[in-house]
C-alpha cells in the first residue's frame, strides 16, 4: 500500500471533488488505474427522500478519465448501493463526476467533445489515446441526452430558418428560447407540418405559457402560431423587415448598374459607373457607421443615381423608426408616413409592411427581436463551413447541438 502523503498528493492531482485516492496501480507501460472513494457517506432515497448511509452492497467498476501526461487513466470507483432505512428501497449513490451507466467521466466527455468541435474525431481520438469509435460513442450518448431534454417553460419563442448543408436549397428551422437565449430545436425542414409536430411534442401546458413568438415574415408560421399557441402574440422580427428593405435596395442598385452599362455615351456611362461601383456595402450600412470614404461614395451616388440616394435615405428612416423609443400608436403614424413617401421606390417592402403591420407594431410594445437568433444562425453557418464531410442532416444537427451545449 503506498504511503499516505503520496496518496494525498495523487488525490490533489486528480482533483475531483469529494474524492479520496485509496490506491493506484500501473497496469501497463502507459496505463494507470487509480482506486478512489467517494467521501460523502450518505445518499438520498429517490423514492421517499430520506437520507441514509446504510450500505447494501459495494459495486466497484472502472471509468476512463482524462489522460495524465502520457498515461491513460482509469478510475476504479465504488458506486455503493444504499438501502433506505425508511422504505427499504435499494439505490445507487450519485457520483458527481460520472453519469450513471457511463464508462467515462463527465470531464473526459467534455474534453473530447470540445476537441471534436475544434478539430475532428481522429484528432480527439489521438489526443486522448482512444479509438474513433469510442469517441463516436461519447458523441452519440450526449446527443441523445440533448435531444431528450425538453424545455419546461418558454415565454418568448423565436422561429427562424437556416439554409442547410452546402449547396442545399432546403431550409432547416431553428427554434430559440429568446429569454434564455438557447436554441431548443433544429428541425430538418421549416415547413408547417414539421414545426407543428415539434410544437405538439412540447405539450399543451408549455404551449399555453408562450406569450409571444417572433418570426420572420412567413405567412405559414403566422397561421400555425395562431392555431397552436392560443396565448401568444406574433411579433414580426424587425431584422427581417430590414432585410427585405435591404434586398429591395440592393436589387435596385443592380438594376441601375445594368442600365448604366447600356449607356451609349462613353463619358456619361463611366461617370455613372464610377458612382455605382463599390456602392453595395455603403448602401447597406447604417449612416453612423459609414467611413469618410463611404460617405463620399454615397454622396456621389446621390448625384448619379438620385433614386438610390433616396432609397438609402428611406432605409435609414425606417431603421430610425425601429430604434426610436416610441409607442406602437406613434409607430403606426410613422409607418403610414413612411410608406406614403417610399411606395414608389419600395413597392414590395411597403406591401409587406401593410400586410404585417399588426405584428410589426407588436414589436414596439414588447421590443422582442431575433437578434440572438441571427447570432446563432451565423454560428451555425460557421459550423457548416467547418463540418467538413458532414453530408447528412443528423451529423450536422449533432454538431450544432453539441456546439450549443458548450458555447451558447
Ligand atoms: Zn426511502
Amino acid at each position: 500500500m503506498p504511503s499516505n502523503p503520496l496518496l494525498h498528493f495523487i488525490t490533489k492531482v486528480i482533483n475531483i471533488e469529494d474524492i479520496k485516492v485509496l490506491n493506484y496501480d500501473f497496469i501497463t507501460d502507459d496505463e494507470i488505474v487509480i482506486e478512489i472513494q467517494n467521501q460523502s457517506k450518505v445518499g438520498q432515497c429517490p423514492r421517499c427522500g430520506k437520507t441514509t448511509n446504510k450500505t447494501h452492497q459495494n459495486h466497484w467498476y472502472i471509468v476512463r478519465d482524462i489522460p495524465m501526461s502520457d498515461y491513460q487513466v482509469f478510475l476504479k470507483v465504488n458506486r455503493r448501493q444504499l438501502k433506505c432505512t425508511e422504505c427499504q428501497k435499494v439505490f445507487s449513490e450519485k457520483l458527481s463526476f460520472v453519469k450513471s451507466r457511463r464508462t467515462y467521466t463527465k470531464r473526459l466527455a467534455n474534453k473530447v467533445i470540445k476537441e471534436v468541435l475544434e478539430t475532428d474525431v481522429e484528432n480527439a481520438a489521438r489526443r486522448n489515446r482512444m479509438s474513433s469509435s469510442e469517441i463516436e460513442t461519447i458523441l452519440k450518448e450526449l446527443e441523445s441526452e440533448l435531444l431528450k431534454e425538453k424545455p419546461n417553460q418558454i415565454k418568448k419563442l423565436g422561429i427562424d430558418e437556416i439554409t442547410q448543408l452546402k449547396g442545399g436549397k432546403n431550409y432547416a428551422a431553428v427554434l430559440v428560447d429568446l429569454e434564455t437565449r438557447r436554441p431548443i430545436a433544429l428541425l430538418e425542414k421549416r415547413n408547417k407540418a414539421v414545426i407543428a409536430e415539434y410544437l405538439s411534442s412540447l405539450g399543451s401546458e408549455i404551449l399555453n405559457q408562450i406569450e409571444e413568438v417572433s418570426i420572420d415574415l412567413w405567412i405559414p408560421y403566422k397561421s400555425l402560431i395562431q392555431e397552436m399557441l392560443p396565448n401568444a402574440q406574433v411579433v414580426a422580427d424587425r431584422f427581417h423587415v430590414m432585410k427585405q428593405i435591404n434586398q429591395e435596395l440592393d436589387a435596385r442598385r443592380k438594376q441601375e448598374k445594368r442600365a448604366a452599362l447600356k449607356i451609349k455615351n462613353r463619358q456619361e456611362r463611366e461617370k455613372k459607373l464610377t458612382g455605382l461601383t463599390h456602392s453595395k456595402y455603403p448602401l447597406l450600412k447604417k449612416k453612423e457607421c459609414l467611413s469618410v470614404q463611404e460617405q463620399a461614395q454615397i454622396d456621389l451616388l446621390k448625384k448619379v443615381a438620385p433614386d438610390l440616394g433616396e432609397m438609402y435615405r428611406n432605409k435609414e428612416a425606417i431603421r430610425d423608426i425601429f430604434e426610436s423609443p416610441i409607442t406602437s400608436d406613434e409607430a403606426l403614424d410613422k409607418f403610414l408616413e413612411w410608406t406614403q413617401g417610399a411606395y414608389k421606390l419600395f413597392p414590395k417592402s411597403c406591401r409587406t409592411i401593410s400586410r404585417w403591420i399588426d405584428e410589426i407594431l407588436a414589436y414596439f410594445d414588447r421590443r422582442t427581436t431575433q437578434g440572438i437568433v441571427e447570432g446563432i444562425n451565423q454560428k451555425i453557418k460557421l459550423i457548416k463551413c467547418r463540418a467538413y464531410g458532414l453530408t447528412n442532416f443528423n451529423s450536422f444537427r449533432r454538431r450544432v447541438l453539441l456546439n450549443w451545449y458548450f458555447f451558447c
Side-chain angles (χ1 to χ4, degrees):
M1 195 83 168
S3 68
N4 276 342
L6 186 53
L7 293 179
H8 185 69
F9 172 73
I10 301 175
T11 300
K12 287 248 174 210
V13 170
I14 70 163
N15 190 26
I16 298 175
E17 214 186 333
D18 287 336
I19 280 302
K20 190 177 159 190
V21 171
L22 300 180
N23 206 347
Y24 65 90
D25 190 11
F26 290 92
I27 51 170
T28 65
D29 283 351
D30 60 359
E31 289 173 310
I32 176 172
V33 174
I34 301 176
E35 198 177 309
I36 59 173
Q37 187 178 46
N38 186 10
Q39 290 300 88
S40 157
K41 295 273 181 281
V42 295
Q44 193 180 25
C45 171
R47 191 195 281 159
C48 75
K50 195 178 181 334
T51 51
T52 181
N53 62 359
K54 191 179 169 195
T55 302
H56 175 68
Q57 213 173 0
N58 287 317
H59 179 213
W60 288 92
Y61 74 118
I62 286 184
V63 292
R64 188 193 275 268
D65 193 24
I66 49 176
M68 236 189 252
S69 75
D70 277 341
Y71 289 100
Q72 290 183 61
V73 176
F74 297 92
L75 302 176
K76 187 176 171 190
V77 56
N78 181 9
R79 194 199 292 266
R80 292 173 305 158
Q81 288 202 306
L82 302 171
K83 189 169 186 177
C84 178
T85 48
E86 186 74 25
C87 75
Q88 312 303 315
K89 182 170 172 68
V90 173
F91 60 96
S92 293
E93 69 177 334
K94 279 213 165 69
L95 298 173
S96 62
F97 56 94
V98 57
K99 288 181 183 162
S100 61
R101 288 190 283 278
R102 292 285 182 263
T103 56
Y104 44 85
T105 59
K106 288 181 189 170
R107 65 186 187 182
L108 176 63
N110 283 358
K111 180 173 183 288
V112 161
I113 291 158
K114 271 195 179 158
E115 287 168 2
V116 170
L117 294 173
E118 280 158 14
T119 59
D120 54 45
V121 171
E122 284 67 38
N123 230 304
R126 209 172 319 122
R127 284 195 210 172
N128 294 287
R129 305 174 145 265
M130 294 167 82
S131 68
S132 300
S133 67
E134 284 172 317
I135 301 273
E136 296 283 358
T137 304
I138 294 182
L139 296 180
K140 278 190 190 137
E141 285 178 342
L142 180 61
E143 185 198 15
S144 64
E145 274 168 42
L146 292 177
L147 286 176
K148 259 185 256 151
E149 236 176 61
K150 293 266 175 201
N152 43 28
Q153 193 190 33
I154 312 166
K155 279 190 181 156
K156 297 180 175 187
L157 177 70
I159 306 178
D160 203 354
E161 65 194 23
I162 165 167
T163 342
Q164 272 199 43
L165 303 167
K166 211 173 177 185
K169 280 177 202 142
N170 300 327
Y171 285 98
V174 56
L175 277 69
V176 178
D177 181 334
L178 294 173
E179 281 191 319
T180 62
R181 307 164 81 85
R182 271 188 83 90
I184 54 171
L186 183 67
L187 306 174
E188 188 163 8
K189 292 192 175 123
R190 66 145 189 193
N191 66 40
K192 212 173 151 177
V194 169
I195 293 174
E197 191 190 330
Y198 176 78
L199 288 176
S200 334
S201 80
L202 294 175
S204 59
E205 201 181 318
I206 288 181
L207 298 186
N208 290 342
Q209 287 169 358
I210 300 178
E211 290 168 7
E212 57 181 295
V213 184
S214 173
I215 58 171
D216 55 12
L217 307 165
W218 208 51
I219 297 286
Y221 285 166
K222 182 169 148 182
S223 55
L224 177 71
I225 293 156
Q226 285 161 346
E227 285 158 31
M228 293 190 71
L229 310 179
N231 303 319
Q233 164 72 53
V234 177
V235 181
D237 179 51
R238 60 171 271 204
F239 291 106
H240 283 91
V241 178
M242 289 310 295
K243 195 169 150 191
Q244 190 166 116
I245 303 240
N246 279 325
Q247 277 166 355
E248 209 166 0
L249 172 60
D250 197 49
R252 180 60 181 261
R253 180 190 60 81
K254 287 181 188 155
Q255 189 193 336
E256 293 266 353
K257 200 166 171 184
R258 279 194 302 272
L261 286 166
K262 286 181 189 154
I263 297 173
K264 293 250 160 56
N265 181 309
R266 186 174 162 229
Q267 211 180 351
E268 217 178 290
R269 182 176 66 234
E270 281 181 358
K271 188 182 159 203
K272 192 144 190 183
L273 282 173
T274 317
L276 286 165
T277 311
H278 305 307
S279 65
K280 178 174 180 175
Y281 294 104
L283 276 173
L284 300 179
K285 269 190 168 179
K286 302 174 183 177
K287 56 180 182 284
E288 59 269 27
C289 297
L290 292 174
S291 67
V292 176
Q293 203 184 0
E294 288 165 337
Q295 182 61 59
Q297 186 75 43
I298 296 280
D299 291 340
L300 180 63
L301 189 72
K302 281 179 188 161
K303 285 183 198 138
V304 302
D307 278 356
L308 268 179
E310 181 59 13
M311 285 177 90
Y312 181 78
R313 198 190 59 76
N314 281 320
K315 187 259 292 181
E316 287 300 294
I318 197 163
R319 195 171 57 80
D320 280 343
I321 303 178
F322 278 117
E323 285 177 7
S324 319
I326 51 176
T327 64
S328 51
D329 284 344
E330 290 165 329
L332 176 60
D333 290 341
K334 293 211 180 264
F335 280 115
L336 287 175
E337 197 187 323
W338 187 90
T339 43
Q340 271 162 17
Y343 193 76
K344 281 205 176 107
L345 295 167
F346 287 100
K348 247 173 107 182
S349 301
C350 286
R351 279 197 299 273
T352 303
I353 289 170
S354 63
R355 201 180 311 135
W356 288 87
I357 191 69
D358 289 337
E359 291 77 22
I360 292 173
L361 292 176
Y363 164 75
F364 291 85
D365 296 328
R366 297 160 183 269
R367 301 276 164 185
T368 297
T369 82
Q370 291 191 24
I372 167 75
V373 183
E374 288 298 306
I376 289 166
N377 254 336
Q378 291 305 322
K379 205 175 222 167
I380 294 176
K381 280 181 193 148
L382 269 179
I383 297 170
K384 270 198 314 191
C385 296
R386 258 196 270 142
Y388 172 79
L390 294 187
T391 46
N392 69 62
F393 184 75
N394 286 339
S395 44
F396 170 58
R397 180 176 61 191
R398 179 180 307 154
R399 277 233 167 193
V400 171
L401 276 174
L402 295 175
N403 254 282
W404 286 339
Y405 176 76
F406 278 106
F407 305 116
C408 289

